[in-house]
Amino acid sequence: MIVVLKAKASKAQIEAVVREIRKLGYKPHPILGVERTVIAAIGDERAHHSLETLISMSGVDQVMPVQRRYKLVSRETNPKGTHLNILGHIFGGKKFQIIAGPCSVENESQIMETARAVKKAGATFLRGGAFKPRTSPYEFQGLKHEGLKLLEKAKAATGLGIVTEVLSESDVDLVAEYADILQIGARNAQNFALLVAAAKTGKPILLKRGMSMKIEEWLLSAEYILSNGNPNVILCERGIRTFETLMRNTLDLGAVALAKAETHLPVIVDPSQGAGRADLVSAMCKASAAVNADGLIIEVHPNPKEAMSDGAQQVTLHQFSELMGDMKPFLKAAKRL
Ligand code: PEP
Ligand code: MN
């Protein structure tokens, strides 16, 4: 930590800070400047008291960390980047991975028809919520275990891997039985007990960014998973809340480029929650390729008008197959084909 003292800090105040740093278990190294004094406090914060409390001492202006707060996810740990092999498909490798399917699993014909169509168009994983996080308790909450069984049928019929959300700690074991990738949704991205429980299954985890989460907080949530023994994390940008109202969220593609540079984890984009509008999905898919994303998770429904959740943002089977074709030149330009 770097402790910056106020310009007018007295000698007694500086000495008091030095004493306090030593008392907390760190080695103080004062640097006496012309205007003000800076003290470098050397020591591992994980093993000692936090130095943040020094800010309450008179004479102290700022207390700043030298190191990043995340370590295991940081690119320095694995400069070449993680290649995550899930059912033979590599996330974080050259190939752009496509996860597609409905927002919610609604019934057998809906999930089977969608699974067959997205597979034919080139998707490698099927998404579909069986446990749905809905803003209102009066909205469709998902088919739960029944939905998981339908996903299992769709997997058996198509060979597509399954991506589905786990909403609570009590469902982790059940959902992990069916999912090839456990999705942790935006609303749960800082549910640390759930992150730890999901990590302990050892299953790959798709970690959405919370809608009001800073990038650092998102990466620290991933750090929870890695530090609990599970290195199989895919980050997913899905839009954040801003002052904008014409779109459901503001898709933060800068965060994708940054997460790719800052961490070694694969990063994918959810353009469906990102825009909340089916007509914008194709453009955001293309843009995702340009910012170095490793893939997409796209909501696709045979009849979006009748969808039980997120109807406005789901593309039809036909639109999905068209957008897969439209993306090709962009993927080629990004050397992802
Ligand atoms: C979803 O994928 O349907 C979903 C609820 O996503 P998010 O958690 O990003 O809102
Ligand atoms: Mn949705």
Side-chain angles (χ1 to χ4, degrees), residues 102-104 127 132-134 165 183 187 208 248 270 272-273 299 309-311 313-314:
C103 177
S104 302
R127 64 149 288 151
K132 292 303 301 177
R134 304 307 302 279
E165 178 163 355
Q183 177 176 324
R187 291 153 191 82
K208 299 266 195 123
R248 182 179 181 190
D270 177 342
S272 310
Q273 327 296 324
E299 288 190 346
S309 59
D310 287 351
Q313 70 195 31
Q314 304 203 56

Coordinates of all heavy atoms in Angstrom, one line a residue, residues 102-104 127 132-134 165 183 187 208 248 270 272-273 299 309-311 313-314, ligand 2:
P102 N -33.4 -20.5 -26.3 CA -34.4 -19.6 -25.7 C -34.0 -19.0 -24.4 O -33.2 -19.6 -23.7 CB -35.7 -20.5 -25.6 CG -35.1 -21.9 -25.4 CD -33.9 -21.9 -26.2
C103 N -34.7 -17.9 -24.1 CA -34.5 -17.4 -22.7 C -34.9 -18.4 -21.7 O -34.1 -18.8 -20.9 CB -35.3 -16.1 -22.6 SG -35.2 -15.4 -20.9
S104 N -36.1 -18.9 -21.8 CA -36.6 -20.0 -20.9 C -36.9 -21.2 -21.7 O -37.4 -21.2 -22.8 CB -37.9 -19.5 -20.2 OG -37.7 -18.3 -19.5
R127 N -28.6 -22.9 -24.9 CA -28.9 -22.3 -23.7 C -30.4 -22.4 -23.4 O -31.2 -22.7 -24.4 CB -28.5 -20.8 -23.7 CG -29.3 -19.9 -24.7 CD -29.4 -18.5 -24.2 NE -30.4 -18.4 -23.1 CZ -30.4 -17.5 -22.2 NH1 -29.5 -16.6 -22.1 NH2 -31.4 -17.5 -21.2
K132 N -35.6 -19.4 -13.6 CA -35.5 -18.0 -14.1 C -35.6 -17.0 -13.0 O -36.5 -17.0 -12.2 CB -36.7 -17.8 -15.1 CG -36.7 -18.6 -16.3 CD -35.5 -18.4 -17.2 CE -35.3 -17.0 -17.6 NZ -34.0 -16.9 -18.4
P133 N -34.6 -16.0 -13.1 CA -34.6 -14.9 -12.2 C -35.6 -13.8 -12.7 O -35.2 -13.1 -13.7 CB -33.2 -14.4 -12.2 CG -32.7 -14.8 -13.6 CD -33.5 -15.9 -14.1
R134 N -36.8 -13.7 -12.2 CA -37.7 -12.7 -12.8 C -37.9 -11.5 -11.8 O -38.0 -11.7 -10.6 CB -39.1 -13.4 -13.1 CG -39.0 -14.6 -14.0 CD -38.2 -14.3 -15.3 NE -38.8 -13.2 -16.1 CZ -39.9 -13.4 -16.9 NH1 -40.4 -14.5 -17.0 NH2 -40.3 -12.3 -17.6
E165 N -29.0 -21.7 -16.1 CA -28.7 -20.9 -14.9 C -29.0 -21.6 -13.6 O -30.0 -22.3 -13.5 CB -29.5 -19.6 -15.0 CG -29.3 -18.7 -13.8 CD -29.7 -17.3 -14.0 OE1 -30.1 -16.9 -15.1 OE2 -29.6 -16.5 -13.0
Q183 N -24.6 -21.4 -15.6 CA -24.7 -19.9 -15.7 C -25.0 -19.3 -14.4 O -25.9 -19.7 -13.7 CB -25.8 -19.6 -16.7 CG -26.0 -18.1 -17.0 CD -27.1 -17.9 -18.1 OE1 -27.1 -18.6 -19.0 NE2 -27.9 -16.9 -17.9
R187 N -28.0 -11.0 -11.7 CA -28.5 -10.7 -10.4 C -27.8 -11.4 -9.3 O -27.8 -11.1 -8.1 CB -30.0 -11.0 -10.3 CG -30.8 -10.1 -11.2 CD -32.1 -10.7 -11.7 NE -32.7 -9.8 -12.7 CZ -32.4 -9.9 -14.0 NH1 -31.4 -10.7 -14.4 NH2 -33.0 -9.1 -14.8
K208 N -21.9 -14.0 -15.6 CA -22.4 -12.8 -16.2 C -21.9 -11.6 -15.3 O -21.6 -11.8 -14.1 CB -23.9 -12.8 -16.2 CG -24.6 -13.9 -17.0 CD -24.9 -13.4 -18.4 CE -25.8 -14.3 -19.1 NZ -27.0 -13.6 -19.5
R248 N -32.6 -1.8 -23.2 CA -32.8 -2.4 -21.9 C -31.6 -2.2 -21.0 O -31.6 -1.9 -19.9 CB -33.1 -3.9 -22.1 CG -33.3 -4.6 -20.8 CD -33.6 -6.1 -21.1 NE -33.9 -6.8 -19.8 CZ -34.0 -8.1 -19.8 NH1 -33.9 -8.9 -20.8 NH2 -34.2 -8.7 -18.6
D270 N -23.3 -11.4 -24.4 CA -24.7 -11.7 -24.5 C -25.4 -10.4 -25.1 O -25.7 -9.5 -24.4 CB -25.3 -12.0 -23.1 CG -26.8 -12.2 -23.1 OD1 -27.5 -11.8 -24.1 OD2 -27.3 -12.8 -22.1
S272 N -28.3 -10.2 -26.4 CA -29.8 -10.3 -26.2 C -30.2 -9.5 -25.0 O -31.0 -8.6 -25.0 CB -30.2 -11.7 -26.1 OG -29.7 -12.5 -27.2
Q273 N -29.6 -9.9 -23.8 CA -29.9 -9.0 -22.6 C -29.3 -7.7 -22.8 O -29.7 -6.7 -22.3 CB -29.3 -9.6 -21.3 CG -29.3 -11.1 -21.2 CD -30.6 -11.8 -21.2 OE1 -31.6 -11.3 -20.7 NE2 -30.7 -13.0 -21.8
E299 N -30.1 -15.3 -27.5 CA -31.5 -15.9 -27.3 C -32.2 -16.0 -28.6 O -32.3 -15.1 -29.4 CB -32.2 -14.9 -26.3 CG -31.7 -15.0 -24.9 CD -32.6 -14.4 -23.8 OE1 -33.5 -13.6 -24.2 OE2 -32.3 -14.6 -22.7
S309 N -40.8 -15.4 -21.6 CA -39.9 -14.4 -21.0 C -39.1 -13.7 -22.1 O -38.8 -14.4 -23.1 CB -39.0 -15.0 -20.0 OG -38.2 -16.0 -20.5
D310 N -38.7 -12.5 -22.0 CA -37.8 -11.8 -22.9 C -38.2 -11.9 -24.4 O -37.3 -12.0 -25.2 CB -36.4 -12.3 -22.7 CG -35.8 -11.7 -21.4 OD1 -36.4 -10.9 -20.7 OD2 -34.7 -12.2 -21.0
G311 N -39.5 -11.8 -24.7 CA -39.9 -11.9 -26.1 C -39.3 -10.9 -27.0 O -39.0 -11.2 -28.2
Q313 N -36.5 -9.5 -27.2 CA -35.1 -9.6 -27.5 C -34.7 -10.9 -28.2 O -33.5 -11.1 -28.6 CB -34.2 -9.3 -26.3 CG -34.3 -10.5 -25.3 CD -33.7 -10.1 -23.9 OE1 -33.8 -8.9 -23.6 NE2 -33.1 -11.0 -23.2
Q314 N -35.6 -11.8 -28.3 CA -35.2 -13.1 -28.9 C -35.4 -13.1 -30.4 O -36.4 -12.6 -30.9 CB -36.1 -14.2 -28.3 CG -36.1 -14.3 -26.8 CD -36.4 -15.6 -26.2 OE1 -35.8 -16.6 -26.5 NE2 -37.4 -15.6 -25.3
Ligands
MN2 MN -33.4 -13.7 -21.0

